[in-house]
Amino acid sequence: MKTFSMTDKGRTRETNQDFVFSSEKPVGNLQNLFIVADGMGGHNAGDYASRYAIEIIVKEIMECRGKEPAAIFGRAIAQANAALVKKAAEDVQLYGMGTTAVLATLEGNSLWVANIGDSRLYLLGEEGIRQVTRDHSLVEEMVLRGELRKSEARMHPDKNIITRAIGATEDVNADIFEVEIQQDEQILMCTDGLTNMVEDEEVLAIVRGREDLVERVEKLVERANENGGKDNITVIMIEPFLGEV
């Protein structure tokens, strides 16, 4: 396995409210762990929410005795949600904070994924680029109801309104599922600071156009900034190297 991650403030935001965690080594009973989070709230609250949520998630995963990735993810996200709700109730400056999150762990050909909000996980291979996660957002719900075309969603004025987030309510509902990785596929995890600035086909062209993994990630962040950089940008890329013992 080979990985590289990068987070960038972008061109217009004063602070970086994204947070990233990447470990090729075991974390608790998981063989590896990758997390991207995009905080929301006031000037300090969004930054705090993404960082604190990931800290709690990693801590819970390290302490969990279970072995099933889905159960491990579910417990960790629930604990992070409870911790954020509690903190927001104790500190008025943190009121209304929350964060998206997308988590992933690889076990052989099996990729376990959990997501809440609109940060995404993609698979990129010979057949193109495929979004694996589904956004929990107002515009995604409009697309599913047939009220909006997918091509219109990126530019919709309400594209930043998310319908689920860690810390937003006392109950949290994350999508947790397993997907099989093909031999040629790479994994891309990112916040909407990338996907709102760079179209999927352009992402695929950048990834295909560079042999070096680090260069791919750096170019994706650079292109998001060239296209406006209107939000924080966070990217993890993973080359699974399947078939290794």
Side-chain angles (χ1 to χ4, degrees), residues 91-112:
D91 187 342
V92 67
Q93 291 186 329
L94 299 178
Y95 179 77
M97 72 173 174
T99 184
T100 72
V102 57
L103 293 68
T105 187
L106 267 167
E107 291 187 352
N109 288 30
S110 293
L111 176 68
W112 286 92

Side-chain angles (χ1 to χ4, degrees), residues 194-210:
L194 176 71
T195 54
N196 283 340
M197 293 291 103
V198 187
E199 301 245 11
D200 287 1
E201 290 306 315
E202 189 174 9
V203 169
L204 181 63
I206 289 170
V207 170
R208 283 179 169 172
R210 285 155 183 81

Side-chain angles (χ1 to χ4, degrees), residues 16 31 40 43 59 101 175 184 190 199 234:
N16 191 347
Q31 295 180 13
M40 61 184 189
H43 182 73
K59 175 178 177 292
D175 293 342
D184 69 303
C190 61
E199 301 245 11
T234 298

Side-chain angles (χ1 to χ4, degrees), residues 64-75:
C64 185
R65 295 182 179 180
K67 297 187 182 298
E68 294 294 329
I72 294 172
F73 279 168
R75 174 183 171 84

Side-chain angles (χ1 to χ4, degrees), residues 30-232:
L30 299 181
Q31 295 180 13
N32 44 69
L33 179 62
F34 308 95
I35 313 173
V36 166
D38 180 358
M40 61 184 189
H43 182 73
N44 295 318
D47 171 61
Y48 183 89
S50 59
R51 183 179 70 252
Y52 187 53
I54 287 185
E55 287 175 1
I56 296 297
I57 288 170
V58 172
K59 175 178 177 292
E60 291 295 328
I61 290 174
M62 291 181 68
E63 295 176 354
C64 185
R65 295 182 179 180
K67 297 187 182 298
E68 294 294 329
I72 294 172
F73 279 168
R75 174 183 171 84
I77 291 170
Q79 292 297 321
N81 187 74
L84 259 67
V85 169
K86 184 173 183 292
K87 282 286 186 181
E90 295 171 346
D91 187 342
V92 67
Q93 291 186 329
L94 299 178
Y95 179 77
M97 72 173 174
T99 184
T100 72
V102 57
L103 293 68
T105 187
L106 267 167
E107 291 187 352
N109 288 30
S110 293
L111 176 68
W112 286 92
V113 182
N115 80 286
I116 184 164
D118 61 357
S119 293
R120 295 178 178 176
L121 186 146
Y122 290 87
L123 293 177
L124 301 91
E126 291 181 1
E127 295 185 1
I129 181 169
R130 173 164 62 103
Q131 182 180 337
V132 173
T133 54
R134 182 175 67 83
D135 294 351
H136 302 138
S137 66
L138 180 61
V139 296
E140 181 68 15
E141 291 183 357
M142 294 169 68
V143 169
L144 291 173
R145 291 195 300 264
E147 299 171 4
L148 189 70
R149 289 194 295 268
K150 191 73 174 177
S151 59
E152 298 171 328
R154 281 185 69 250
M155 304 307 294
H156 195 278
D158 294 330
K159 67 180 183 296
N160 293 324
I161 299 177
I162 61 174
T163 54
R164 300 189 209 171
I166 297 175
T169 61
E170 291 189 2
D171 295 320
V172 65
N173 182 21
D175 293 342
I176 303 174
F177 52 93
E178 180 186 13
V179 61
E180 184 175 335
I181 304 296
Q182 302 303 313
Q183 189 69 36
D184 69 303
E185 288 181 318
Q186 301 173 64
I187 302 160
L188 169 66
M189 302 169 66
C190 61
T191 58
D192 65 348
L194 176 71
T195 54
N196 283 340
M197 293 291 103
V198 187
E199 301 245 11
D200 287 1
E201 290 306 315
E202 189 174 9
V203 169
L204 181 63
I206 289 170
V207 170
R208 283 179 169 172
R210 285 155 183 81
E211 292 293 329
D212 183 72
L213 182 66
V214 175
E215 288 183 1
R216 293 177 207 153
V217 173
E218 290 177 341
K219 186 59 181 178
L220 288 171
V221 173
E222 179 185 332
R223 185 60 53 82
N225 277 321
E226 289 172 350
N227 291 350
K230 295 180 180 179
D231 201 352
N232 310 142

